[in-house]
Amino acid sequence: MSYVSTRGGDAPATYAEIVLRGLAQDGGLFVPQSYPRVTPSELRRWRGLSYADLAFEVLRLFASGIDEEALRSLCRSTYTAQTYCNARPGQDASEITPLLWLEDGLGLLQLSNGPTLAFKDMAMQFLGALFEHLLGLQGRRLNILGATSGDTGSAAEYAMRGRRGIRVFMLSPYGRMSGFQRAQMYSLQDPNIFNIAVKGTFDQAQDIVKAVSNDHAFKASHAIGTVNSINWARVAAQTVYYFKGWLAAAGSDDEPVSFAVPSGNFGDVLAGWIARQMGLPVASLIVATNENDVLAEFFETGCYRPRDPAHTYVTSSPSMDISRASNFERYVFDVTGRSPERLRALWKELDEKGSFTLSGEDWERVKASGFCAGRSVHADRLRTIRGLWETSGVLVDPHTADGITVARRKRLPGVKCICLETAQPAKFASTIREAAGILPPVPSSCAGLEDRPQRFEVMEPDVRAVKDYIDRHTSEQ
Ligand SMILES: *Cc1c(COP(=O)(O)O)cnc(C)c1O
């Protein structure tokens, strides 16, 4: 299996080579030259596997350049009931992603039982183990630099804490995260984790990261890397839970099942698209957006029109407050015939006009691709949270509620539909209280989190100061 860039400028490379690189050199995203296929008899054979062994079977199809036994042990050390211990009472933590039926044919795949209570742990924990393995083989070090408004930063820190050869420098907007999110990140005492609280907004923090990354000399001399959602290893690791969910829900070897996915950067649902391309019987992929509905508009009209920052709204499902979905390029590459020339032309149009529209044959392929989409707004998510709580005693977080809202509207009659749970309600207590009038329970691994001592550096939004800080903390080996 080799990987190429969506923009056609990079030489084919292995999985082992691309995962530490992130973005391709030509600015495109790495994709497999072709998708591996899974046969019905393989699917049947995978029925009894543990999550870890299923992950091994799926990932070995992608992981060129990685020793198979090493991959198996990475999967087994990552997907343990101990790491994914935050299951709801009554749910089996050893399933890693237990499936809970909510109502007639509508299930909840619980992906948020990891250390930071969000689905990003599913791939990020694996990425941490993989990076440590690859860096160890190559005798290299990596200093991960990122900016976070909450979920991604904490998932990265919990995945990388204590790992040999890795340090994390994570910028966050000082005083602008919830108490729970702050405590999650700042209470980590591991010496390889550096929290930098920037006196400014998330966008300012993000701009600093971009400025540091664009200083190629600094980036090279300080071995700076990233872990953002375009990293192929994260996408590939996310395909595993589509297989797991389908195996748990499907009654026969070829029963089509739909998935509903709350979407921001299009990473989570892209993994479902890849699972479908691999031959998993996926009926439809239902994309749920919040008030930031760029993707819903695309799947309704064929027009992709990202908004500017002034028209990207702050909502009560904040991890989906994204206008430009960074993984969308991979899907567009596939549905426009996997042609780098065509992709480059579309992105040029996007840069020049702020939008592009797929029509003709391309639009036919979009319509045949199994996707549909809808939007859910504040009142919808409150109603869904309250309704589920009152009728079935299940609490869901605001993002998952967007997924359930849209799933109920768009699912096909008679076809089972699985909603992906992207976070636990404990992370968004104030919206849960507004919706259901109660405070969500906090899993025992996070009990007392906000009382633990915190460790972080407060800094002005200044590129020079951040570079100096990184320099000081990377000079000692
Ligand atoms: C990251 C995130 C999303 C969006 O996932 P994408 O892969 O960016 O589409 C949705 N909900 C929660 C809680 C998240 O943390």
Side-chain angles (χ1 to χ4, degrees):
M1 156 86 48
S2 56
Y3 291 83
V4 292
S5 164
T6 48
R7 314 238 178 133
D10 282 42
T14 65
Y15 173 93
E17 289 164 340
I18 63 157
V19 294
L20 285 167
R21 261 189 245 163
L23 209 63
Q25 241 152 33
D26 62 5
L29 307 188
F30 287 114
V31 288
Q33 223 150 23
S34 64
Y35 292 115
R37 295 284 300 179
V38 171
T39 62
S41 74
E42 265 170 313
L43 281 178
R44 199 172 315 131
R45 200 162 50 72
W46 291 353
R47 271 196 184 275
L49 296 182
S50 66
Y51 192 97
D53 288 348
L54 178 65
F56 168 71
E57 294 293 343
V58 175
L59 292 177
R60 64 191 279 273
L61 304 174
F62 290 108
S64 50
I66 309 272
D67 174 73
E68 290 224 335
E69 280 320 301
L71 180 66
R72 191 194 296 277
S73 70
L74 291 175
C75 291
R76 288 194 175 161
S77 65
T78 298
Y79 297 110
T80 66
Q82 207 177 354
T83 299
Y84 295 90
C85 64
N86 296 304
R88 288 182 168 76
Q91 297 290 299
D92 182 358
S94 72
E95 286 286 310
I96 309 299
T97 60
L99 178 67
L100 175 65
W101 292 105
L102 297 173
E103 58 205 35
D104 182 33
L106 187 68
L108 184 70
L109 191 64
Q110 300 162 94
L111 304 179
S112 307
N113 297 339
T116 74
L117 311 183
F119 87 97
K120 293 190 173 70
D121 290 330
M122 292 303 303
M124 203 75 95
Q125 289 285 322
F126 176 76
L127 196 69
L130 178 67
F131 274 15
E132 185 177 50
H133 170 72
L134 289 173
L135 292 167
L137 287 178
Q138 301 170 12
R140 285 170 54 196
R141 303 188 66 92
L142 183 68
N143 296 304
I144 292 166
L145 175 65
T148 187
S149 52
D151 290 342
T152 308
S154 55
E157 291 186 354
Y158 280 77
M160 305 296 165
R161 62 187 296 200
R163 299 240 183 234
R164 283 184 307 276
I166 303 176
R167 298 187 189 88
V168 178
F169 295 89
M170 190 59 65
L171 277 57
S172 50
Y174 183 58
R176 288 173 196 249
M177 293 188 297
S178 74
F180 188 87
Q181 286 178 317
R182 239 185 348 254
Q184 245 183 348
M185 291 178 54
Y186 299 171
S187 66
L188 288 178
Q189 302 295 330
D190 306 77
N192 71 328
I193 303 295
F194 300 91
N195 280 303
I196 301 175
V198 175
K199 287 187 181 165
T201 61
F202 167 70
D203 287 328
Q204 284 174 296
Q206 182 82 45
D207 286 344
I208 294 172
V209 169
K210 281 187 195 148
V212 175
S213 301
N214 285 335
D215 180 342
H216 297 289
F218 184 89
K219 194 177 168 194
S221 62
H222 292 78
I224 301 288
T226 56
V227 290
N228 52 29
S229 76
I230 54 101
N231 191 295
W232 177 259
R234 283 179 65 184
V235 176
Q238 286 170 184
T239 62
V240 176
Y241 50 71
Y242 285 86
F243 285 88
K244 180 75 178 163
W246 181 85
L247 289 166
S252 67
D253 287 345
D254 56 1
E255 184 183 336
V257 173
S258 298
F259 290 86
V261 189
S263 294
N265 264 319
F266 206 74
D268 201 1
V269 74
L270 179 81
W273 163 246
I274 290 160
R276 191 175 191 269
Q277 300 279 89
M278 293 168 73
L280 188 73
V282 174
S284 53
L285 289 162
I286 302 170
V287 174
T289 75
N290 63 15
E291 289 86 338
N292 297 292
D293 58 358
V294 174
L295 293 171
E297 180 178 87
F298 170 78
F299 285 107
E300 283 156 8
T301 66
C303 174
Y304 181 58
R305 187 171 59 92
R307 312 292 194 260
D308 57 27
H311 296 91
T312 303
Y313 308 111
V314 175
T315 75
S316 50
S317 45
S319 300
M320 292 154 63
D321 293 347
I322 288 165
S323 158
R324 194 176 278 258
S326 52
N327 269 297
F328 190 57
E329 179 168 336
R330 286 186 166 119
Y331 170 74
V332 173
F333 181 69
D334 284 346
V335 289
T336 54
R338 301 197 113 227
S339 152
E341 294 72 35
R342 178 92 179 99
L343 199 279
R344 282 200 305 270
L346 288 170
W347 253 252
K348 186 158 175 276
E349 196 178 333
L350 187 60
D351 283 343
E352 288 169 3
K353 299 203 323 219
S355 70
F356 64 74
T357 301
L358 296 187
S359 58
E361 222 176 87
D362 290 333
W363 180 238
E364 291 308 314
R365 275 193 291 247
V366 170
K367 285 197 287 186
S369 70
F371 274 89
C372 65
R375 50 181 78 59
S376 158
V377 300
H378 185 69
D380 294 317
R381 73 185 67 96
L382 293 190
R383 202 177 320 111
T384 295
I385 293 169
R386 182 171 54 244
L388 262 181
W389 171 242
E390 284 171 358
T391 56
S392 53
V394 176
L395 267 184
V396 295
D397 99 292
H399 308 79
T400 309
D402 287 333
I404 294 170
T405 304
V406 176
R408 284 175 174 156
R409 253 184 247 149
K410 298 276 176 177
R411 60 183 288 218
L412 305 165
V415 177
K416 287 175 192 159
C417 180
I418 296 176
C419 291
L420 303 192
E421 179 170 57
T422 56
Q424 288 210 13
K427 293 194 93 162
F428 302 96
S430 68
T431 303
I432 300 300
R433 191 170 49 193
E434 185 182 347
I438 57 156
L439 282 175
V442 175
S444 58
S445 79
C446 302
L449 190 70
E450 294 185 41
D451 304 325
R452 293 179 202 163
Q454 298 189 354
R455 174 175 157 268
F456 57 98
E457 182 87 12
V458 181
M459 230 178 260
E460 296 297 328
D462 173 30
V463 177
R464 188 71 258 159
V466 171
K467 280 185 178 168
D468 285 346
Y469 182 85
I470 294 173
D471 191 52
R472 275 201 309 284
H473 292 91
T474 51
S475 50
E476 78 281 7
Q477 289 300 301

